[in-house]
Amino acid sequence: MLRRHVFVAAMFVSLMFSAVFMSWTSNAADQGKVVPPVSSYPPDTTTYSRPTVSDEQAPAGAKGSAGVKGAAPAGFLVVDIPNSGGGEPDVAINPLNLNQIVVHAGFGGWNGNASNFVSTDGGLTWTTSNQIPPPPGAPNTGGCPCDVTQDWGLDGNLYGAYLTGNTDVFSASNTNPFANLFNYFLIAGNAQLTDFNISAIGAADQPWLLTNVDPTTPGQTNTYVDYDDFNAGNVRVSAAPGSSPPNFTADNVVGPFTGGGINPGSRLANDPRTGTMYSLWQNCTAGCGGSPKTIAYRLNRSLNAGATWTLNGSPTGITVASGVTVQPTPKFGTVNALLGGIDHAAVDPTTSNVYVVFGGSNGAGGNGIGIKQITFDNATPTNAVLGTQHRVSPLGVEAALPSVAVAPNGTVGVLYTSFDGFDVNGFPIYSGHFAFSTDQGVTFTDQTLLTFLSPTKDNGDPRQRVLGDYQQLKVVNDPPSGAANSGATFYGVFTGNGAALGGNTANNDAIFFKVTLAPQINLNTNPVAIGPVCRHLTGSGQLEVSDTGTDELIVTSVARTSGSTDISLVPGPSFPVNISPDAHFDFTFLCSPTTVGAKSATFTIASNDPASPNTPVNVTCTGQAGEIDVTGSGDFGTQSCSLTPLINTLKINNVGPC
């Protein structure tokens, strides 16, 4: 424990991981070969950039694309973050102000301060902020940070974990993420190691940071960092309870990883309802010396702020899914080695069920994305009950880099990237996808966010990574009071090509997207103006009710709440009325005036739109009648005694509309 209290700044030679793994186990499929794991360090820091090719550049000002060119999918905001460097982007959203979003992408910057990309308008526009300082006293920071994950706490602070060139992890927090106020917890003037209990200095990889509420202290924000210990072959989680900057007081083993020529791809998931934390990672179980490989995905849990880890009575976790994968090579789409795993997990904030997304066979020799829901029994502590595996990416589609999030209404969202072949110039074609499920991950609706070309081709390096090792999808589970639909809004970031969104150069920029997965009622027209109607007759007018959201709108009733009883809804629609996204249903209103004059009534439409569950609509009409007009005169004037009859005509006219 001495390393937690004193950190001596010195120059360390980076470990050559292949030389230190003397204890990695083998399996029968590899005929006794010892196959060490593969570190994702060093990252691919190449700046991939080239001139655009024909039909690649989208129109200037485009906000999204369902192909190489085009507009954003309905209901989605898709935005390029200029000059963001692309690889391995992560996203953090302020739960106290949903317009404040921070993204980190790319590597390097610690010749001074490293960059974050910040938005104060909900992701519409982005600026670069050089705000992440190198950790004081840490050796070998140049060219880093080399892995970055950040998360916003409920205390209003932004927290980040950063991997140095010495493959150690340091963490900091910022009280104002739009200013340069990041601070590390210092010991004798030097930044505290996040991985303070690791078996050997310089053996960490893939730090993954999340915040969560404390399990026993309401309102307290704890910080957790999951990472790989490549010296001892363990996944570990370090915890900092209720402190900013984060002061890490626990750094414990979650479970072992078995080598097998892959990266453990360790990931964290948090349960904001209970404060429970989960750690997910990969173990190779067959084919580890070649490709494809069979992967066991293991999960462990802490109920006490990271002090101990056990799931179903096992201190090393349990296998929750398995799949046959192609990783780290051959490269995904020929330009991206999968050195960060194919896995992620998230917790339903309402039910506490866990969803695990993972790599498996796509049925055509490549990787597909599967999902499994994990529920829990009534034991104390509760035991995990594994559900049925379902497919996220369609059969035959080659997919990787998954990230999952679950909204408070139970909607499950998955971000992933697909490899779609090659264009006529030989550049790999990729698409960013957002798939969502409203039936607990059984079936998914898949939306292409952006189709783009790789900015480069295969360079022959087996560690080439144009897209990086991971990307992120998140949901804000505790939105500000009155923030309409915020609990059903997904925020994601993936590596794409800025040219597909109007950029002048083909590069690997971070692409931000946001979508509210909720029904959204739209009325056309409101008010409904029936117009003039003759007394004792009936006129009608239609109201088109459409769903401009991304989930089914359910109208449960339409009832008059005030106004004239001469106006009514036509009987007939059987409630509830279900309206699919981008569809509509027409309601007809009648006006049968009993008197002359203007009439008005207000009806309330009850639906499952969370922003407008009771939507008023005004219906108007004007009662009219016949209108007499008399022409001619009844004056016969002075008459003689002639027997000739005199005729005078009066014309009685109806000049009204009725």
Side-chain angles (χ1 to χ4, degrees), residues 72-94:
F76 287 75
L77 172 69
V78 183
V79 178
D80 176 38
I81 302 178
N83 306 311
S84 51
E88 302 181 9
D90 81 309
V91 63
I93 308 96
N94 185 355

Side-chain angles (χ1 to χ4, degrees), residues 343-629:
D343 61 323
H344 193 229
V347 183
D348 186 321
T350 302
T351 66
S352 293
N353 294 336
V354 177
Y355 289 86
V356 173
V357 290
F358 53 92
S361 173
N362 70 346
N367 296 316
I369 306 302
I371 191 169
K372 184 176 288 189
Q373 183 190 35
I374 300 167
T375 58
F376 297 89
D377 63 18
N378 294 320
T380 304
T382 57
N383 291 319
V385 179
L386 306 185
T388 302
Q389 178 176 328
H390 299 286
R391 185 176 293 276
V392 177
S393 58
L395 188 67
V397 171
E398 190 167 349
L401 303 174
S403 184
V404 60
V406 189
N409 66 358
T411 300
V412 180
V414 179
L415 167 68
Y416 70 92
T417 297
S418 68
F419 167 57
D420 306 334
F422 299 91
D423 82 331
V424 294
N425 299 296
F427 290 104
I429 305 171
Y430 291 101
S431 293
H433 294 258
F434 178 74
F436 65 93
S437 171
T438 57
D439 57 8
Q440 299 180 317
V442 177
T443 60
F444 281 84
T445 299
D446 195 294
Q447 175 66 61
T448 298
L449 300 169
L450 185 72
T451 296
F452 57 93
L453 300 183
S454 168
T456 190
K457 301 177 184 179
D458 186 353
N459 64 3
D461 182 354
R463 296 179 62 87
Q464 180 187 20
R465 280 163 288 170
V466 171
L467 305 177
D469 296 327
Y470 54 80
Q471 50 200 16
Q472 280 194 349
L473 179 71
K474 288 183 177 177
V475 167
V476 177
N477 294 308
D478 295 291
S481 177
N485 283 332
S486 55
T489 299
F490 289 81
Y491 303 78
V493 63
F494 62 96
T495 302
N497 185 338
L501 291 168
N504 296 320
T505 303
N507 57 11
N508 52 339
D509 267 349
I511 308 297
F512 170 82
F513 78 92
K514 179 173 69 173
V515 60
T516 298
L517 282 183
Q520 187 172 36
I521 193 169
N522 182 70
L523 307 181
N524 184 31
T525 58
N526 185 11
V528 177
I530 296 176
V533 181
C534 295
R535 189 164 58 98
H536 301 308
L537 296 180
T538 298
S540 65
Q542 282 192 331
L543 173 69
E544 180 183 275
V545 178
S546 59
D547 181 6
T548 55
T550 53
D551 199 1
E552 186 172 60
L553 178 71
I554 302 174
V555 177
T556 54
S557 67
V558 180
R560 183 177 55 244
T561 50
S562 65
S564 172
T565 57
D566 287 353
I567 300 175
S568 62
L569 176 70
V570 170
S574 177
F575 293 103
V577 174
N578 297 340
I579 305 173
S580 301
D582 293 328
H584 67 88
F585 186 89
D586 293 335
F587 291 93
T588 301
F589 294 90
L590 300 179
C591 174
S592 301
T594 57
T595 59
V596 174
K599 302 181 183 299
S600 176
T602 298
F603 291 77
T604 297
I605 303 175
S607 75
N608 64 333
D609 180 343
S612 184
N614 295 289
T615 307
V617 58
N618 190 245
V619 184
T620 64
C621 66
T622 302
Q624 294 188 330
E627 183 177 343
I628 192 169
D629 177 74

Side-chain angles (χ1 to χ4, degrees), residues 16 53 62 65 71 87 207 219 233 264 269 275 294-295 304 312 327 345 428 432 501 520 529 544 586 591 614 620:
M16 299 299 295
V53 295
S65 178
T294 301
I295 304 298
N304 55 7
N312 288 17
Q327 59 172 308
L501 291 168
Q520 187 172 36
E544 180 183 275
D586 293 335
C591 174
N614 295 289
T620 64

